[in-house]
Amino acid sequence: MIDLLTIFVLAVFVGFEVVSKVSTILHTPLMSGANAIHGVILVGAILITGRAEQALEVTLGLAAVFLATVNVVGGFVVTDRMLEMFKGHKAGRPVKSAANGHQEVGE
């Protein structure tokens, strides 16, 4: 038990250090991509829950499946919102200019 707790604490520190060193511009794309890839965790949670025999194991497995599902869906939602930011404006639509507050025709 102490070994697992030690690994968990070290993983938290390493994860914090790695994420804090990523520049702001890259943080959203990297995190959304990582969350979308976490479908592997969902598959693992489903497999482990399927082999559970005791009530506590089933409860923890179902919680893991739920949290992994939320993580995967959240990753795809964030990725979709991020990709929407990079789409160009359609021609002919008015675009508000930040420089002078006037509306200009989009590119």
Side-chain angles (χ1 to χ4, degrees), residues 33-46 65 68-69 71-73 76:
N35 285 341
I37 292 171
H38 280 141
V40 173
I41 294 173
L42 177 59
V43 171
I46 291 170
V65 169
T69 302
N71 194 18
V72 169
V73 170
F76 282 115

Side-chain angles (χ1 to χ4, degrees), residues 42-102:
L42 177 59
V43 171
I46 291 170
L47 291 174
I48 295 298
T49 304
R51 294 180 179 250
E53 296 177 3
Q54 297 178 0
L56 179 62
E57 293 172 345
V58 172
T59 304
L60 290 175
L62 290 175
V65 169
F66 174 74
L67 292 173
T69 302
V70 169
N71 194 18
V72 169
V73 170
F76 282 115
V77 168
V78 169
T79 301
D80 186 51
R81 290 181 74 186
M82 180 192 64
L83 291 175
E84 287 292 324
M85 292 187 324
F86 293 110
K87 287 187 178 177
H89 299 288
K90 294 186 179 185
R93 289 182 58 198
V95 177
K96 188 167 251 183
S97 173
N100 57 16
H102 297 284

